[in-house]
Amino acid sequence: AQIDFFKKSYRVIAPDLSGFGKSPMGKATTMQEFADDLDKFLGERAVNEPVTLVGFSMGGYISFPFYFAHPEKVRALVLCNTRAIADSAEVAAGRETLAKKVLEKGQIAAFETMLPKLFAKNTPEARGDIVDAVKHMALSCSKEGIASALRAMATRTDYSSQLKKIECPTLLLVGSEDTISTPDEMNKIAEGIPKATFRTIANAGHMAPMENAGEVNNLLQE
């Protein structure tokens, strides 16, 4: 919904990551390598001016290394339903278990495992179309891509001590019912960034940009 809304007034670039959507499986195995891919992707499209970089969930994990490698290329930063800390050993082990399960049983294993954590309490019943759309996105990815991304998330860098170095205007958005990247945790991220604005999205869980697209679009526009 963000693409359709903003493409009327801006150039919107929404890349499929390595192994996701229509992108083939590449060599990226860490968040830094995903960020390097993004930099190369923008260069190939002659994007020379600073961008507004919007990182949702895992996209936030990629936004941190991209920003710190190329601060001059980021006009403004949006961190949506994401985290600055690294995985605990327990969470990392869970990702490895899920990665193996996906490789064995297919993409549906990732969707079924994550489903209880993705949405606000009322979303599955009230907005079955959103649940179906997320399922479709999961099934459109390669199982190798999902497994690689899970392993990259498990080994990502902790950026919580570097937040004060983010100098561009930064917007932090989180669903009011997000249990993965909670409002309290994201508010603490905002407190660590000098030019940060923090907003919660009502009636939304981890998939806030889909669950309450109108509010997210308005805040991005503002």
Side-chain angles (χ1 to χ4, degrees), residues 84-105:
I85 61 172
D87 274 359
S88 66
E90 180 181 2
V91 172
R95 291 198 200 276
E96 177 60 26
T97 298
L98 181 56
K100 291 177 179 177
K101 188 175 180 180
V102 168
L103 290 173
E104 178 185 351
K105 298 186 176 180

Side-chain angles (χ1 to χ4, degrees), residues 12-217:
V12 178
I13 302 174
D16 286 336
L17 301 174
S18 169
F20 286 75
K22 296 181 180 179
S23 289
M25 189 66 195
K27 297 179 180 179
T29 59
T30 67
M31 290 302 155
Q32 182 63 61
E33 289 172 342
F34 278 116
D36 293 343
D37 279 354
L38 178 59
D39 184 46
K40 181 180 178 182
F41 180 89
L42 291 173
E44 289 171 346
R45 282 150 187 80
V47 179
N48 299 312
E49 70 273 28
V51 301
T52 296
L53 180 61
V54 184
F56 164 62
S57 194
M58 191 178 92
Y61 302 158
I62 297 169
S63 296
F64 284 120
F66 183 92
Y67 175 83
F68 287 114
H70 312 285
E72 75 286 354
K73 296 183 179 183
V74 182
R75 182 196 313 275
L77 182 62
V78 182
L79 300 170
C80 184
N81 297 81
T82 193
R83 312 182 78 187
I85 61 172
D87 274 359
S88 66
E90 180 181 2
V91 172
R95 291 198 200 276
E96 177 60 26
T97 298
L98 181 56
K100 291 177 179 177
K101 188 175 180 180
V102 168
L103 290 173
E104 178 185 351
K105 298 186 176 180
Q107 301 91 323
I108 192 65
F111 174 75
E112 291 175 344
T113 299
M114 292 298 297
L115 181 59
K117 305 176 184 178
L118 291 180
F119 303 105
K121 180 176 61 177
N122 293 330
T123 297
E125 183 176 348
R127 295 294 308 278
D129 58 316
I130 292 177
V131 178
D132 289 342
V134 173
K135 182 178 180 180
H136 175 76
M137 283 193 289
L139 296 179
S140 75
C141 305
S142 72
K143 60 184 181 181
E144 293 80 9
I146 294 174
S148 178
L150 285 164
R151 288 166 172 158
M153 285 189 276
T155 59
R156 71 184 187 276
T157 299
D158 188 320
Y159 286 100
S160 54
S161 64
Q162 301 186 53
L163 298 174
K164 59 182 177 292
K165 299 177 184 177
I166 298 177
E167 298 180 347
C168 66
T170 305
L171 174 64
L172 290 99
L173 302 176
V174 62
S176 59
E177 298 180 42
D178 191 345
T179 59
I180 297 176
S181 47
T182 66
D184 284 347
E185 182 177 352
M186 288 209 67
N187 189 37
K188 289 178 181 177
I189 298 174
E191 290 173 349
I193 300 175
K195 298 178 183 178
T197 301
F198 172 73
R199 296 287 185 269
T200 58
I201 308 302
N203 305 312
H206 192 65
M207 303 301 293
M210 298 178 72
E211 293 177 272
N212 195 337
E215 187 173 347
V216 169
N217 290 347

